[in-house]
Structure formats: structure tokens, C-alpha cells
Amino acid sequence: MLPPFKPLNSILIKPSGPDCNMACTYCFYLEKENLFTETKIHRMSDEILEEMIKQVLEQAGANVSFGWQGGEPTLMGLPFFEKAVAFQQKYGRGQSVGNGLQTNGILIDEKWAKFLDRYNFLVGLSLDGPENIHNHYRFLRGGKGSWQQVTSAAKVMLDAGVAVNALTVVNDYSVQFPEEIYYFHREMGLDFMQFIPCVETDPAHPDRAALFSVAPEKYGEFLCKIFDLWQADFEEGASTTSVRYFDSVFYSYVGLTAPECTLLPACGIYVVVEHNGDVYSCDFFVEPEWKLGNVMEHKIIDMLNSERQHRFGLMKAGLPQKCRTCKWLPYCYGGCTKDRIHDPRDQNLNHFCASYKMFFNHADERMRRLAVDWQRQQEIAAQHDALFRPDEIDYLHAGRNDPCPCGSGLKYKNCCGR
């Protein structure tokens, strides 16, 4: 029996490979330069760029997203991304095309910000919080902390109207400061937050995780505290704060498919294109075993649906008995595969298994209440759509705390004004 066909909805690109203008202690990608020894500097050619974009837009459906990561993708220079957009416009077939850029922000200036705003790029900015927390591990090449440059980039982009998410690595040090990090991001205007728990194998001691990795219990406490802060803001009705993990988990609570691959029963739903056109199963598995081919020789859609990619996706489903009998399995599915391999002491369990159990035990009841409220609002919205045309309802003069003009009985801010 053939595996289900996977559509090409998104693709991840590493145009500068592992090259970076920073030297963060916990970075897992810098070592990938050992795979690409042909040149010291790694840059995607215009030929590969055009062929990749041409293939994606020919093989994708109505909606497709390009994710540009590294290393540091802005090392390619702004003209490279101007060409990328031009190729998207050239080969697009009326599709909705999205672009996401993950960056350390060091090279971002007003020209970059204007470009990112003009073409509606969603930017993930690597920022670990206040200066003392961020600079603990995030260094420039010379050993100096990078906080000043990164926060300046955040302000430049926010002032230009760019949609910016804060990407925060939670390590053994930053895990101690959930409140400081959360409120710092909010004060910066970074209302969309993603917290990424850090676990890597210690090169000197391959039988355990690196010292900068975050301990499971500590990360569990961190998640619970961030959840309390997030929910307190949500209940006040004035906050638009979004925490990606909570948002993704919430999909499962309302019977929808989680948008985050780590929360699915199997992975392998996208591929990664390196600077030289080589295609891999996942950015965490850029390894010879999981090389699928090259865009100059093979079709991306075929590589996505290859037997090797199918095998890679099923690795996630090979869970220990402890996972298969866990009541939280439908909300977790064992987490990210890469978090099961960096500390041999985990015995194929997710390194953060205890973290997620702590979180679900802490948040489950409130998540269920939020799910009931959401479903009730969906029903009300459906009734509104059946009874009213949008142009018949006077939203113009409604205050945030006034009864919603649609007649739901809810405050405007909690109904149509959300």
C-alpha cells in the first residue's frame, strides 16, 4: 500500500548554508559546514534559486510558503531576496505566496525593513530576552554580546510595520527568567513569541546532553509560568499575545490538526533545500542518511513523497510503550524526533517528556474551558453569518467594551472586534 500523497505546501531554504556572522554557544547548525567542504563560503547561486522557486510554484497548490533560514540568511544580501521575490512573481500561477525569514537581525537596516514590509515577510527574530539573558550565550564572532544590535533591528522592523516574532531559545540559564523574558518581549512590541527548548549532545561526553541544555523539570516550570502569564493577559481581554506552542496545542483541543509538525503523529511534511541545491528531510537532520536528492536533478514533489522521506516521517511514530499509553499522547505525539536522540539517558523518550506532562497537568482544565468558549463563539459566528450581512451591522461606532452590534450578547472586544 502506497503512503498518502503529501502536497507541497511549504519549503525551508538555507541559502547561505551553515554560514553565520555570530557564534552562539548552543548553535547546532554551524557544524554542518563539515558536510560542504568544497568551498569555505556557502552561497546559493541564482541558477539554483530560480530552479527551486520555479519547481515549487509549478508543483504547489493555491497556497505555499517559503521559509528562509540559516546559518544566517541575510548574509546573501538584499539583492538575492529581491531576485527571489521577482522569481516568485515570474513563476506564480495566481497562488497565495508567503515568505518567512528567520534572522539574528545583525544586518537588518531600514532598507531591509522596507523590503520586508513591502513584500509582507514574516520575520522570526532570534532574541532570548533582556540583555543579561540574551548575551549569556548569543555572541558575535569576536565574543561580544549581540543584544544591542538585535534589539535595534527589532525596533527598525517594528517601526516599518514588519510582522516580527520573537524566537527565544530556552537554555539552562534563560529558563530561570520566564517573567522577565515574557514582559520584555511585550514591552518591545513583540507580541508573537516562540520558545524553543534547547537540548544537544555534549561532544566531550556523548552519553549525556550538553551543559547548556535545559533540564526537563526546569522547562516544565517555565512553560507553566509562561502559560499563567499568557492566560492572565488573555482573560483581561486587552492582550493580543500569542505563544506558538499554546496556540498549536489548542488546535488539538478543538479537534483541528495542529499546525506544528512536532505535534503530529508523523513528520516529513516539508523538505529542506541547502545552498547547493541538496534536499534533506528536515533542518534538524541535514545528514547524509537523509539526503533526498538535488533540485537540479530531481523534482521537489517527488523527493517530498519519496520512500526515504516516508521512512523519515515514520521515525516519529516509533514511540516507546510509555508514550503509547500516555493520556497526553493526542496532544503531544512524542514531540520532536530530534529531542529523543541527544541524551542517551532518555532511552528514546522525548527529553522534555516530563516538561510536557507538567504543562498538560497544569493547563488542561483551562485549555478545555477555552476550547468550549471558542466553539461557542464559532457557533454564534455561524448564526450571525446566517442572519446578517456584514454591511448591515454598525461596527464603526462600537467601543471595545460595548455590547457587540451583531447581537451576540458578548462585548465587542470578545466577539467581532477580536
Side-chain angles (χ1 to χ4, degrees):
M1 182 177 174
L2 293 174
F5 177 81
K6 293 191 286 283
L8 180 56
N9 296 323
S10 63
I11 192 164
L12 188 62
I13 307 120
K14 305 272 190 177
S16 57
D19 296 357
C20 190
N21 49 1
M22 288 180 59
C24 304
T25 304
Y26 52 62
C27 182
F28 75 95
Y29 213 76
L30 290 177
E31 66 183 33
K32 298 301 179 183
E33 65 183 5
N34 297 327
L35 293 175
F36 311 109
T37 57
E38 297 84 0
T39 59
K40 187 174 182 180
I41 297 175
H42 309 93
R43 299 290 185 269
M44 180 174 282
S45 68
D46 291 352
E47 181 185 18
I48 292 173
L49 174 67
E50 182 172 12
E51 175 62 22
M52 175 191 65
I53 290 176
K54 179 175 179 286
Q55 280 200 41
V56 170
L57 293 173
E58 285 177 348
Q59 298 162 21
N63 301 282
V64 63
S65 62
F66 293 79
W68 307 89
Q69 294 189 10
E72 176 50 43
T74 60
L75 289 173
M76 297 300 301
L78 186 55
F80 173 86
F81 286 93
E82 292 172 335
K83 290 175 188 174
V85 170
F87 287 141
Q88 290 172 349
Q89 293 170 336
K90 177 180 178 180
Y91 293 109
R93 299 176 291 110
Q95 292 132 309
S96 173
V97 178
N99 284 286
L101 177 73
Q102 183 172 323
T103 178
N104 58 34
I106 301 301
L107 297 178
I108 298 295
D109 57 17
E110 290 184 358
K111 287 184 178 179
W112 268 102
K114 288 178 181 178
F115 168 84
L116 296 169
D117 176 56
R118 179 180 179 184
Y119 292 106
N120 297 313
F121 273 63
L122 173 62
V123 176
L125 180 66
S126 296
L127 177 60
D128 284 356
E131 186 170 9
N132 65 307
I133 301 171
H134 177 93
N135 281 348
H136 193 77
Y137 285 130
R138 295 193 62 81
F139 306 115
L140 300 172
R141 281 288 181 181
K144 183 181 178 182
S146 60
W147 186 84
Q148 288 288 351
Q149 291 93 323
V150 179
T151 52
S152 294
K155 292 172 184 175
V156 167
M157 289 189 286
L158 290 170
D159 287 346
V162 179
V164 185
N165 294 358
L167 305 182
T168 300
V169 174
V170 184
N171 51 64
D172 68 312
Y173 182 72
S174 62
V175 74
Q176 304 172 73
F177 308 103
E179 289 177 296
E180 291 88 340
I181 295 171
Y182 183 86
Y183 287 125
F184 171 79
H185 288 337
R186 274 194 51 193
E187 289 168 8
M188 282 284 297
L190 299 168
D191 293 328
F192 291 83
M193 308 177 196
Q194 182 177 347
F195 297 102
I196 307 160
C198 180
V199 57
E200 296 293 334
T201 302
D202 189 338
H205 301 279
D207 60 334
R208 68 189 187 200
L211 294 176
F212 52 71
S213 302
V214 59
E217 294 76 13
K218 293 293 184 182
Y219 183 57
E221 293 170 2
F222 181 93
L223 277 179
C224 292
K225 184 59 180 179
I226 293 289
F227 180 79
D228 290 345
L229 296 171
W230 171 79
Q231 196 196 24
D233 283 346
F234 182 83
E235 288 178 345
E236 288 177 6
S239 174
T240 56
T241 305
S242 170
V243 176
R244 186 185 180 194
Y245 179 67
F246 304 156
D247 293 346
S248 297
V249 166
F250 185 71
Y251 272 70
S252 300
Y253 273 87
V254 296
L256 300 174
T257 301
E260 196 171 323
C261 59
T262 62
L263 302 179
L264 299 177
C267 50
I269 59 174
Y270 70 93
V271 294
V272 179
V273 182
E274 260 287 350
H275 67 287
N276 61 355
D278 286 348
V279 177
Y280 293 86
S281 293
C282 171
D283 56 321
F284 294 113
F285 290 86
V286 174
E287 302 165 359
E289 181 182 0
W290 300 114
K291 181 179 172 181
L292 305 174
N294 189 285
V295 296
M296 303 305 288
E297 301 168 2
H298 309 91
K299 289 185 177 181
I300 295 172
I301 192 70
D302 291 341
M303 289 184 277
L304 176 64
N305 284 281
S306 65
E307 187 276 335
R308 180 171 294 188
Q309 183 68 349
H310 180 61
R311 238 184 334 113
F312 171 78
L314 290 181
M315 272 204 313
K316 188 179 192 301
L319 297 172
Q321 182 66 19
K322 191 173 181 180
C323 283
R324 294 198 297 270
T325 57
C326 178
K327 69 177 182 177
W328 304 121
L329 181 64
Y331 304 104
C332 169
Y333 287 112
C336 185
T337 305
K338 62 99 176 170
D339 291 337
R340 289 154 50 184
I341 63 175
H342 288 299
D343 191 334
R345 294 170 297 183
D346 295 328
Q347 299 180 331
N348 204 37
L349 278 175
N350 190 296
H351 186 71
F352 302 109
C353 178
S355 315
Y356 299 134
K357 284 183 176 179
M358 288 174 65
F359 168 74
F360 287 120
N361 280 316
H362 180 78
D364 179 62
E365 183 180 341
R366 283 176 285 179
M367 278 288 201
R368 290 183 185 279
R369 288 203 305 266
L370 289 172
V372 170
D373 291 342
W374 181 86
Q375 287 164 339
R376 186 181 299 121
Q377 289 178 13
Q378 298 307 300
E379 292 170 1
I380 291 171
Q383 293 171 0
H384 298 166
D385 291 344
L387 294 173
F388 300 101
R389 295 203 316 269
D391 56 0
E392 292 177 339
I393 304 174
D394 182 14
Y395 294 109
L396 184 62
H397 300 98
R400 287 183 54 77
N401 291 306
D402 292 341
C404 188
C406 71
S408 67
L410 299 173
K411 290 183 178 180
Y412 176 59
K413 67 183 180 184
N414 294 324
C415 189
C416 297
R418 289 179 67 84

